[in-house]
């Protein structure tokens, strides 16, 4: 039918015009920024698969002018912020950089070991979390952050009995360790509060 042919021709013309406008609106590809567009952090080595291409690119924080300790802590804070936002793709992308930064430090403090262990915990690497917890507890068996990290590592392994044991040690050590007022306790007060509340809720 003539009207049907005319309608089809009109639709084809509209589609052609829309396609041309879309093509003109797309920016030209720039080889100099291609890596960033694909999610590769500028000035940083690759850490595995890039984040999904349908989201804004991940960039590692600019840490070139920081000390090695500051670099590690900056990367840790970025990983944890992304984790709290639920951005698991970028957590997995930046976590290896954070791990490497801490591993480059000559000697880790308990606070830095907790940071490293937390990176392992949020990325599902139980051995890393447990190893750092063990190192902290060897230095101070009642260290609250060490006990929290040890419980997390045990639960990641599916060992609830061991995890509850660390929960009980955490509650038993709480009063005396709060009096010790270690700097890292103040820095991670929210983590301690959440862990204590969870331990009490489990009936330990």
């Amino acid at each position: 039918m003539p009207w049907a042919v005319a309608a089809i021709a009109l639709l084809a013309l509209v589609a052609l015009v829309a396609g041309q406008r879309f093509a003109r609106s797309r920016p030209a590809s720039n080889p100099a920024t291609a890596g960033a567009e694909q999610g590769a952090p500028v000035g940083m080595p690759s850490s595995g698969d890039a984040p999904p291409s349908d989201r804004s690119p991940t960039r590692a924080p600019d840490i070139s002018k920081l000390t090695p300790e500051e670099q590690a802590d900056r990367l840790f804070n970025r990983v944890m912020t992304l984790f709290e936002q639920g951005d698991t793709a970028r957590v997995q992308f930046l976590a290896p950089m954070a791990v490497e930064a801490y591993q480059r430090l000559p000697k880790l403090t308990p606070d830095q070991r907790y940071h490293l262990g937390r990176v392992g915990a949020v990325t599902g690497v139980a051995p890393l979390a447990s190893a750092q917890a063990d190192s902290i507890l060897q230095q101070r068996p009642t260290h609250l952050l060490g006990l929290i990290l040890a419980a997390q590592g045990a639960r990641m392994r599916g060992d609830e009995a061991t995890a509850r044991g660390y929960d009980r040690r955490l509650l038993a050590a709480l009063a005396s360790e709060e009096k010790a007022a270690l700097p890292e306790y103040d820095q991670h007060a929210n983590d301690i509060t959440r862990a204590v509340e969870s331990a009490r809720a489990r009936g330990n």
Side-chain angles (χ1 to χ4, degrees):
M1 298 176 64
W3 64 268
V5 174
I8 293 172
L10 178 60
L11 289 174
L13 178 61
V14 171
L16 176 61
V17 172
Q20 290 174 341
R21 289 180 177 176
F22 176 75
R24 286 196 298 269
S25 68
R26 295 183 63 185
S29 177
N30 184 351
T33 61
E37 292 171 356
Q38 295 171 0
V42 178
M44 294 292 289
S46 174
S47 297
D49 295 336
S53 58
D54 61 338
R55 304 178 67 179
S56 59
T58 293
R59 294 176 183 270
D62 183 6
I63 58 176
S64 59
K65 297 181 181 180
L66 302 179
T67 67
E69 291 79 6
E70 290 171 338
Q71 291 178 6
D73 289 345
R74 181 71 63 85
L75 286 167
F76 165 76
N77 289 333
R78 182 61 176 151
V79 168
M80 296 309 299
T81 296
L82 292 170
F83 174 73
E84 290 171 359
Q85 294 172 349
D87 198 340
T88 56
R90 283 163 174 74
V91 167
Q92 295 291 341
F93 183 68
L94 288 178
M97 297 180 192
V99 171
E100 183 180 356
Y102 280 109
Q103 290 177 338
R104 286 198 301 264
L105 299 181
K107 186 177 181 179
L108 297 179
T109 65
D111 185 51
Q112 290 166 339
R113 288 193 178 280
Y114 179 70
H115 289 184
L116 182 54
R118 282 292 292 152
V119 173
V122 301
T123 53
V125 185
L128 179 58
S130 296
Q132 298 311 309
D134 289 345
S135 295
I136 295 172
L137 295 176
Q138 285 176 4
Q139 297 180 37
R140 189 181 182 95
T142 56
H143 198 290
L144 300 181
L145 298 179
L147 294 169
I148 291 170
L149 197 57
Q152 291 174 348
R155 287 193 169 89
M156 292 169 68
R157 299 192 305 271
D159 189 350
E160 182 62 24
T162 298
R164 283 180 173 270
Y166 285 120
D167 287 345
R168 288 190 289 271
R169 288 174 58 181
L170 172 68
L171 297 179
L174 183 61
S176 60
E177 287 297 304
E178 285 181 335
K179 292 178 181 179
L182 300 181
E184 57 264 35
Y185 291 170
D186 183 57
Q187 295 169 14
H188 299 288
N190 289 338
D191 289 359
I192 294 172
T193 298
R194 285 194 295 265
V196 168
E197 290 176 349
S198 295
R200 287 172 174 165
R202 294 187 187 97
N204 291 291

